[in-house]
Amino acid sequence: MSPASEKLTLVKIGGNVIDSDAALTRVLDHFREIPGKKLLVHGGGKLATHLAGRLGIPQTLIEGRRVTDPETLRIAVMVYGGLVNKTIVAGLQARGLNALGLTGADLDLIRAERRNPLPVDYGEVGDVKSVNLRSLLPLLETGVIPVVAPLSHDGAGRMLNTNADTIAYELARAFAPTHQVSLLFTFEKSGVLLNVNDETSLVPEMNEGFFREMLAGGHIKDGMIPKLENAFRAIRGGVDEVILGQAERLPELLSRKTGTRLYRD
Amino acid sequence: MSPASEKLTLVKIGGNVIDSDAALTRVLDHFREIPGKKLLVHGGGKLATHLAGRLGIPQTLIEGRRVTDPETLRIAVMVYGGLVNKTIVAGLQARGLNALGLTGADLDLIRAERRNPLPVDYGEVGDVKSVNLRSLLPLLETGVIPVVAPLSHDGAGRMLNTNADTIAYELARAFAPTHQVSLLFTFEKSGVLLNVNDETSLVPEMNEGFFREMLAGGHIKDGMIPKLENAFRAIRGGVDEVILGQAERLPELLSRKTGTRLYRD
């Protein structure tokens, strides 16, 4: 990253925001206020599971992870690539932002390969192979706001399901050589908490050295470990900062009044 | 249209192609071979009706036309904007075309207003108010192939259902000032037939004068009348030619071996 490169804010929102019309409205209102180039990555929420239930499509979990059989993939493409994506795009257009909804297949943005079925076959799931910003970079220059669904393609005509966190990190890394990237990675919690049940135990910022110490000391547990490993991988890949916190507090996250900011040494 | 303006081929495909994987494969193979700038508009096919049936959502018809209640709109956004659109986009990417799936909300492409509920309330249906090619024109210059779903937005956050034929004609007219537009309007028949049961009665070409004569003579009937009225409206709006015929015979339509070509006087 050159110090002169332009700032890009990438916001990842998850199911907790998508499943609530009121929360989504507030988050899109906040998102509008972010200055400069920006991009939104969304997860899927409970709609896909709900729709699978109504259609009587059994959902298989292996070690807590969903298996994407072909019918479940079709639902993911409908719900993530269609309903959720276009709800957000239309909502941003209504706020005067020139949004463009994308999956990994559109503009060949994200290519993936179907995950090896051994040792565990998770089905139509894609591991990202490459991110191609060739068509997207000039669009950003003209004020277009990409809205990216958690779907990739294999380049051979097949759509694949890819975790929204992964999409957000891969995009952030791909933009890093040309932009000063802030990744706002939102989830249920206020940030990294020393005590998961105590929101006042928030860690305001950490570099990777501090993270390794906390990890060794047993202060970081469970689902936070892969989140932070991914975040520091993005930072090692050139991303300027990753801010973890709640989507509904986007302005305070940006002004560093809340959340955990991960930064480079 | 200036004679020097560049050629743009706009292909509209309907449900008969979308509902068959084999037909869609052949049509996308043919579409790849069309030289120069091109754009694809697709209808919805039977998938949406099928999904509504599986979900137990009753479909209301008034005088043969479907009413788009809010649940039916959600299905349209999922199926047209998600599954059908991304299946085509991934299929074109696999053929080396840099496809970009769009609804009317993406890049603010097609704004519509909800149709007046009087005298008949067709629900969440949009009548096109404006087409905005500002973001699309530079993309076409770089070889991007737009794939447009039959959905518009109202600019206030609401998606709306809009007939694919209408989308195709409105886009063709919007491109006419800057491009020499050929609209390949595909459907079940070989073209305009003097006798609907006799494929050898195909009319190879007609201008509007000839159409009016045939209409007065009672030679054009039923569903063909609005199709041709729309086509000549597009031609009066500056579209160079409209070719009516079967999607699976795209190469022969382009080389004028089949189909009906409508042209300006």
Side-chain angles (χ1 to χ4, degrees), chain A residues 152-223:
Chain A
S152 57
H153 78 132
D154 71 353
R158 179 149 63 172
M159 299 295 296
L160 292 165
N161 205 354
T162 294
N163 181 275
D165 295 7
T166 305
I167 299 271
Y169 284 120
E170 292 285 349
L171 284 171
R173 283 172 57 185
F175 278 108
T178 52
H179 290 79
Q180 190 184 331
V181 180
S182 285
L183 171 57
L184 272 77
F185 194 95
T186 71
F187 65 134
E188 296 78 6
K189 298 281 172 191
S190 302
V192 179
L193 303 175
L194 287 178
N195 174 351
V196 76
N197 297 314
D198 178 6
E199 292 276 328
T200 66
S201 69
L202 182 73
V203 179
E205 54 178 25
M206 56 165 84
N207 59 12
E208 187 157 2
F210 183 51
F211 165 58
R212 298 287 161 209
E213 278 177 38
M214 285 182 68
L215 196 59
H219 298 296
I220 296 179
K221 295 195 180 76
D222 307 329

Side-chain angles (χ1 to χ4, degrees), chain B residues 16-32:
Chain B
N16 58 324
V17 173
I18 292 158
D19 291 330
S20 155
D21 287 348
L24 185 59
T25 294
R26 282 191 294 272
V27 170
L28 297 186
D29 283 343
H30 293 322
F31 182 77
R32 172 179 48 185

Side-chain angles (χ1 to χ4, degrees), chain A residues 11-32:
Chain A
V11 178
K12 188 259 162 176
I13 60 171
N16 57 325
V17 173
I18 291 158
D19 291 329
S20 154
D21 286 348
L24 185 60
T25 294
R26 283 192 294 273
V27 170
L28 296 186
D29 283 344
H30 293 322
F31 182 78
R32 174 178 47 187

Side-chain angles (χ1 to χ4, degrees), chain A residues 86 93 98-99 101 106-107 135, chain B residues 86 98-99 101 106-108 135:
Chain A
K86 301 316 167 191
Q93 289 286 354
N98 193 14
D106 298 285
L107 301 173
S135 300
Chain B
K86 300 316 169 192
N98 194 14
D106 298 286
L107 301 174
D108 197 19
S135 300

Side-chain angles (χ1 to χ4, degrees), chain A residues 6-222:
Chain A
E6 206 178 334
K7 197 168 160 63
L8 174 86
T9 307
L10 201 155
V11 178
K12 188 259 162 176
I13 60 171
N16 57 325
V17 173
I18 291 158
D19 291 329
S20 154
D21 286 348
L24 185 60
T25 294
R26 283 192 294 273
V27 170
L28 296 186
D29 283 344
H30 293 322
F31 182 78
R32 174 178 47 187
E33 302 305 323
I34 299 173
K37 291 183 189 173
K38 53 195 168 183
L39 190 148
L40 199 147
V41 174
H42 61 83
K46 295 192 185 118
L47 275 166
T49 311
H50 180 64
L51 186 60
R54 281 180 68 185
L55 291 171
I57 297 167
Q59 298 290 287
T60 311
L61 296 175
I62 299 179
E63 291 167 11
R65 298 173 78 169
R66 183 201 315 270
V67 174
T68 306
D69 59 53
E71 275 240 67
T72 299
L73 176 68
R74 286 161 65 91
I75 290 177
V77 175
M78 290 196 289
V79 173
Y80 309 161
L83 192 58
V84 173
N85 192 264
K86 301 316 167 191
T87 299
I88 294 171
V89 167
L92 292 177
Q93 289 286 354
R95 288 165 175 83
L97 298 184
N98 193 14
L100 167 63
L102 298 167
T103 66
D106 298 285
L107 301 173
D108 197 19
L109 184 62
I110 302 165
R111 287 208 184 201
E113 58 189 357
R114 192 182 188 279
R115 187 170 298 164
N116 195 324
L118 296 172
V120 179
D121 189 357
Y122 287 106
E124 310 297 309
V125 171
D127 290 320
V128 175
K129 259 169 49 190
S130 62
V131 176
N132 171 4
L133 301 179
R134 188 171 49 92
S135 300
L136 209 55
L137 289 171
L139 281 171
L140 281 168
E141 295 300 329
T142 65
V144 168
I145 314 287
V147 176
V148 185
L151 295 163
S152 57
H153 78 132
D154 71 353
R158 179 149 63 172
M159 299 295 296
L160 292 165
N161 205 354
T162 294
N163 181 275
D165 295 7
T166 305
I167 299 271
Y169 284 120
E170 292 285 349
L171 284 171
R173 283 172 57 185
F175 278 108
T178 52
H179 290 79
Q180 190 184 331
V181 180
S182 285
L183 171 57
L184 272 77
F185 194 95
T186 71
F187 65 134
E188 296 78 6
K189 298 281 172 191
S190 302
V192 179
L193 303 175
L194 287 178
N195 174 351
V196 76
N197 297 314
D198 178 6
E199 292 276 328
T200 66
S201 69
L202 182 73
V203 179
E205 54 178 25
M206 56 165 84
N207 59 12
E208 187 157 2
F210 183 51
F211 165 58
R212 298 287 161 209
E213 278 177 38
M214 285 182 68
L215 196 59
H219 298 296
I220 296 179
K221 295 195 180 76
D222 307 329

Side-chain angles (χ1 to χ4, degrees), chain B residues 8 10 39 41 131 133 165-184 234-235 237-242:
Chain B
L8 174 87
L10 200 155
L39 190 147
V41 175
V131 177
L133 301 179
D165 296 7
T166 306
I167 299 270
Y169 284 120
E170 293 286 349
L171 284 171
R173 283 172 56 184
F175 277 108
T178 52
H179 290 78
Q180 189 184 329
V181 180
S182 287
L183 171 57
L184 271 76
I235 285 173
V239 173
D240 207 57
E241 59 178 8
V242 179

